[in-house]
Amino acid sequence: GEVDEIALNGTGRYVRLLGIKRGPDSVYSLREFEVYGAPIVEESTSDLSAVFIVGNDWGSGYCGSFLVSNNGLESVTGWSVSVNLNGSTLRSDSWNGIFSGTTGVIGVQAGFSWNETIAAGVTEGSVGICADRDDSTSGALPVILGVSP
C-alpha cells in the first residue's frame, strides 16, 4: 500500500471518500482514513447551546432531535434555534416544536408550555424533525446557526 497525504486549507463540515472499482474483478481496500484539524468554535451571546443528533438516517432523509442546553445559572423561557436545513425539506412528522418554514434557514422553538423553559444546567431534547434531502446522495445534515433565549 501507499500513503497519500493531502494538505488542505479552509473550513468544512464533511469529508467524503469515494472508492471506485476499476473493473469487475478489481478490489480496493482502505486501512486508515484520518482527518486532522482544530474544531471550529462558534461564539455564543447567551448561555444556551444546541446540537442536532441524528436518530435515523435512511439516505434520502433523516430524523433527529435538537438538544438545547442551558449552561447558565438561571432558567430560560422561550428559546429558539436558527437552523439551515442544508438542502433538505422538512416533513410533516416533525414533533414538539414550532417550525418557521420547511426549507432553507428556519427557526425552531418549543411548541408547548412543558418544553419552553430550560432550567439552569439542563438539556432539553424533546423537539425534533424529519426531513427529506433534495439530493438523496448528499448525506447533508442541518447546520445550527445560533440559539437564543
Side-chain angles (χ1 to χ4, degrees), residues 23-117:
D25 296 328
S26 65
V27 296
Y28 63 87
S29 64
L30 179 67
R31 185 174 176 103
E32 277 185 63
F33 183 77
E34 298 179 48
V35 177
Y36 298 97
I40 298 171
V41 178
E42 295 184 18
E43 294 291 325
S44 176
T45 58
S46 74
D47 291 323
L48 295 177
S49 62
V51 296
F52 181 75
I53 303 296
V54 177
N56 189 7
D57 190 325
W58 57 93
S60 63
Y62 56 86
C63 290
S65 298
F66 294 96
L67 301 182
V68 181
S69 298
N70 180 355
N71 306 305
L73 300 175
E74 298 179 10
S75 294
V76 172
T77 300
W79 55 268
S80 177
V81 178
S82 177
V83 181
N84 183 340
L85 290 177
N86 205 14
S88 296
T89 301
L90 208 61
R91 296 167 46 121
S92 62
D93 50 354
S94 299
W95 59 94
N96 293 338
I98 298 170
F99 311 98
S100 68
T102 58
T103 61
V105 176
I106 66 167
V108 176
Q109 63 189 48
F112 301 96
S113 59
W114 56 264
N115 67 353
E116 72 178 349
T117 299

